[in-house]
Amino acid sequence: MDFLQGQSIETTVAVAVAVAVVAIAAGGAFLLLRSRKPKGCLDPENFKKFKLVEKKQISHNVARFKFALPTPTSALGLPIGQHISCRGQDATGEEVIKPYTPTTLDSDLGYFELVIKMYPQGRMSHHFRKMKVGDYLSVKGPKGRFKYHVGQVRAFGMLAGGSGITPMFQVARAILENPNDNTKVHLVYANVTYEDILLKDELDNMAKTYPGRFKIYYVLNKPPENWNGGVGFVSKEMIQSHCPAPAEDIQILRCGPPPMNKAMAAHLDELSYTKEMQFQF
């Protein structure tokens, strides 16, 4: 009887150990899978085609394009602050290639989005204007010199104009949505009219959600009545008031039309921001 009881106890212990081993192995596998990033879909050397699954008109000349990735769990594979090259045809049928920055991150699985402002004479604008759901876009990447890691700087100042908001939006989103990142973001965003402001709802929501980490100041060349933002062009005084002061642990990013980029570089130089404190997309 004692012999049988001993066998029973040994069997129970063995089963318990086996169950524990299986549980530990399963838990380890779960953590490994959760921590493993999906493989990116981009190729830096060759164009790959992605299907347009949604096209939403935001204004008379701006639309949001949503492209599907191969699977619902696929990630585009684009480092923060970098862009892709898109290939299309202009009105004459000639090939055209232009860089664009998605407004989505690699945490947005299964798809990526582009917010495109389409200009009347824009060669790639023509291609996007003609695109219909079901069409494919040829994309190559990642491209770009910007590299970001958590703790890189204490704060970013951002000077954006027009569609130059897209890389700023992408970087700001990545910072603010990372609970381990305490970097502060100060954005000055310039446009001609109120209707030209891209991603305004998203930007305002970010300012509301992260009031201690994200500040935005809009500047309009032709503001509407009762406008309480900046008026005219971005000035040295606006930069002083709304961007972090020169320091070794800050950086000012700029992206906009060439005349704006040139003017902002001159302003920053005059305000004693060193070349290391500046980056132009």
Side-chain angles (χ1 to χ4, degrees):
M1 191 70 171
D2 291 340
F3 173 74
L4 292 175
Q5 285 180 337
Q7 275 194 324
S8 177
I9 292 170
E10 287 178 2
T11 302
T12 301
V13 171
V15 170
V17 169
V19 170
V21 169
V22 171
I24 291 170
F30 172 77
L31 291 174
L32 181 63
L33 288 171
R34 194 173 71 167
S35 62
R36 185 181 295 164
K37 290 185 177 180
K39 184 180 178 182
C41 300
L42 291 171
D43 186 330
E45 302 299 329
N46 302 293
F47 282 98
K48 298 178 72 174
K49 291 185 176 182
F50 298 93
K51 186 177 181 179
L52 179 64
V53 293
E54 185 179 318
K55 179 179 180 180
K56 182 179 180 182
Q57 204 71 27
I58 298 174
S59 70
H60 72 285
N61 64 349
V62 178
R64 187 190 305 271
F65 297 79
K66 182 177 182 179
F67 296 91
L69 297 178
T71 74
T73 57
S74 296
L76 183 60
L78 187 69
I80 298 168
Q82 296 200 9
H83 60 268
I84 55 177
S85 294
C86 299
R87 182 175 66 187
Q89 292 184 330
D90 65 12
T92 67
E94 288 190 16
E95 180 180 282
V96 56
I97 298 173
K98 189 175 178 182
Y100 291 94
T101 304
T103 54
T104 42
L105 304 175
D106 278 356
S107 57
D108 300 307
L109 300 178
Y111 70 97
F112 71 94
E113 291 183 345
L114 298 173
V115 174
I116 305 292
K117 187 169 186 177
M118 291 163 284
Y119 299 92
Q121 305 303 319
R123 298 179 65 203
M124 194 66 193
S125 293
H126 170 81
H127 184 86
F128 278 110
R129 204 162 28 239
K130 294 295 183 182
M131 284 197 79
K132 305 182 298 296
V133 170
D135 290 345
Y136 286 81
L137 178 69
S138 295
V139 172
K140 183 167 68 172
K143 305 284 185 179
R145 299 175 292 111
F146 186 81
K147 299 185 187 305
Y148 179 72
H149 59 83
V150 175
Q152 180 173 317
V153 294
R154 170 176 51 84
F156 278 116
M158 297 180 172
L159 305 174
S163 56
I165 189 62
T166 53
M168 308 298 192
F169 179 80
Q170 186 206 67
V171 173
R173 252 199 78 189
I175 290 171
L176 298 172
E177 293 180 11
N178 183 350
N180 299 316
D181 197 334
N182 296 315
T183 306
K184 289 182 168 54
V185 179
H186 305 260
L187 171 63
V188 177
Y189 183 23
N191 283 280
V192 178
T193 69
Y194 184 88
E195 290 72 25
D196 291 324
I197 301 175
L198 300 180
L199 300 165
K200 190 173 188 305
D201 289 344
E202 291 86 345
L203 291 167
D204 289 345
N205 186 58
M206 284 163 60
K208 183 179 179 180
T209 305
Y210 308 99
R213 298 175 59 205
F214 180 72
K215 305 292 184 184
I216 183 166
Y217 183 68
Y218 295 104
V219 181
L220 295 179
N221 192 244
K222 298 177 181 178
E225 291 184 20
N226 303 316
W227 173 249
N228 58 6
V231 177
F233 297 107
V234 177
S235 64
K236 285 191 295 183
E237 292 73 24
M238 291 178 188
I239 295 173
Q240 284 180 306
S241 297
H242 300 282
C243 286
E248 291 184 356
D249 59 352
I250 69 94
Q251 192 171 38
I252 307 295
L253 311 179
R254 58 179 187 266
C255 187
M260 179 183 178
N261 286 333
K262 184 177 180 179
M264 294 306 100
H267 288 340
L268 293 171
D269 289 343
E270 290 176 22
L271 291 169
S272 300
Y273 290 92
T274 65
K275 295 301 180 185
E276 292 73 27
M277 296 175 198
Q278 303 179 43
F279 181 87
Q280 181 174 306
F281 285 102

